[in-house]
Amino acid sequence: MAKDTTSEHLRAELKSLADTLEEVLRGSSQKSKAEFDNLRTKAESALKETRTRLGDSGERLAEQTKVVAGKADEYVHENPWAGIGVGALVGFVLGALFMRR
């Protein structure tokens, strides 16, 4: 559930950034220099925040992936026959699915 919340939050951040950038592009020719500078500052701030949040999420995802991969590697080393069985089962299921098409 935390992953769903994170992805929804990132989508909201990206939508906000896109809306801000669209506002800058749409009205840039009709706005005064002060208004344009204000919109540009707002867009730059939104971009910086979004990059920071995406970077943090990417780092967390990479760390979680490393932990899961480490646990899977440890399990397979402790239970090699179970790993072989799971691999064979996955191969069989994928083969059956491809043969149907």
Side-chain angles (χ1 to χ4, degrees), residues 9-28:
H9 185 68
L10 288 174
R11 286 182 194 160
E13 288 284 330
L14 291 172
K15 184 181 180 329
S16 173
L17 176 61
D19 291 344
T20 302
L21 292 174
E22 184 178 330
E23 182 180 352
V24 169
L25 294 173
R26 184 179 48 234
S28 63

Side-chain angles (χ1 to χ4, degrees), residues 3-44:
K3 289 180 185 178
D4 290 338
T5 303
T6 301
S7 65
E8 288 299 320
H9 185 68
L10 288 174
R11 286 182 194 160
E13 288 284 330
L14 291 172
K15 184 181 180 329
S16 173
L17 176 61
D19 291 344
T20 302
L21 292 174
E22 184 178 330
E23 182 180 352
V24 169
L25 294 173
R26 184 179 48 234
S28 63
S29 63
Q30 300 169 355
K31 301 211 181 280
S32 69
K33 180 163 174 30
E35 290 174 316
F36 181 73
D37 288 343
N38 185 29
L39 284 173
R40 190 176 82 196
T41 301
K42 181 180 174 184
E44 288 172 348

